Amino acid sequence: MSVILSEEIRRALADPGTVRAVATVGKDGDPHIAFKQSLRLRGDGNLEYDEGIETSQTNKNLVYSIWFGKTVSISLVTPDRRSYNIVGRPLRVLIAGREFRTHYTAAREERGDIDLAAVWVIEPVAACEQSFDKRRLEEEAAHPLLQHLDRLTVTGQ
């Protein structure tokens, strides 16, 4: 089931300074992470990104994921160091047609004489902020007694 991404995540995706990484797993179980700066939010609330290399490990793993119902993980790090994680399910891959042609033309206009292997559409199924300060406060509230002993001692005497 799809989730609606928060306004903070939408802003992060709209910011060209945000670093975007897609983590996939192949049939052998090995994880693979690749930075995909073309990752963006679609008007329908799904994510998409342009894959330029047909034989890339990410492309192979996404094919595996779509065939076998596996999820992928997307990490975003904004210029002000906030981080977000999105779990997504590959919905479809565009390799021909009007929508693909639009992306292909735009990619060539932006980056020159390149190929565009595919446009992946990914449905977000879960999302959260992973910034350290936010996660630390959440964990301290959930587990107030779980601290390192040195934090429990009286200091300054």
Side-chain angles (χ1 to χ4, degrees):
M1 175 183 285
S2 184
V3 298
I4 297 172
L5 298 176
S6 70
E7 189 56 40
E8 292 85 7
I9 293 176
R10 290 172 177 270
R11 278 196 300 272
L13 286 163
D15 187 337
T18 296
V19 176
R20 300 146 167 87
V22 177
T24 58
V25 176
K27 63 183 177 182
D28 56 4
D30 290 341
H32 176 76
I33 297 175
F35 295 95
K36 302 292 183 178
Q37 286 306 108
S38 68
L39 183 76
R40 61 198 166 268
L41 184 63
R42 293 169 50 99
D44 62 5
N46 290 320
L47 302 168
E48 69 182 1
Y49 89 89
D50 300 336
E51 176 57 65
I53 302 173
E54 187 80 36
T55 56
S56 76
Q57 192 62 51
T58 301
N59 204 46
K60 292 177 198 176
N61 289 356
L62 283 167
V63 169
Y64 173 78
S65 295
I66 204 167
W67 284 355
F68 296 102
K70 303 296 182 186
T71 56
V72 300
S73 181
I74 296 164
S75 292
L76 308 172
V77 180
T78 63
D80 66 352
R81 302 182 63 109
R82 297 181 74 94
S83 62
Y84 303 93
N85 183 260
I86 304 167
V87 176
R89 179 180 304 114
L91 283 182
R92 64 183 172 279
V93 58
L94 308 172
I95 57 170
R98 187 177 323 126
E99 190 175 353
F100 176 80
R101 172 59 85 184
T102 300
H103 290 280
Y104 181 78
T105 302
R108 290 181 61 87
E109 286 173 1
E110 181 181 319
R111 297 182 14 226
D113 186 23
I114 64 157
D115 285 330
L116 182 62
V119 178
W120 281 94
V121 178
I122 300 169
E123 173 190 29
V125 295
C128 64
E129 183 174 347
Q130 291 290 307
S131 302
F132 177 77
D133 289 338
K134 181 171 180 17
R135 290 292 301 127
R136 181 181 56 82
L137 291 174
E138 290 172 350
E139 288 301 315
E140 286 178 358
H143 310 285
L145 300 178
L146 186 60
Q147 295 182 18
H148 282 271
L149 291 177
D150 61 336
R151 289 184 64 200
L152 297 175
T153 63
V154 178
T155 60
Q157 295 185 9

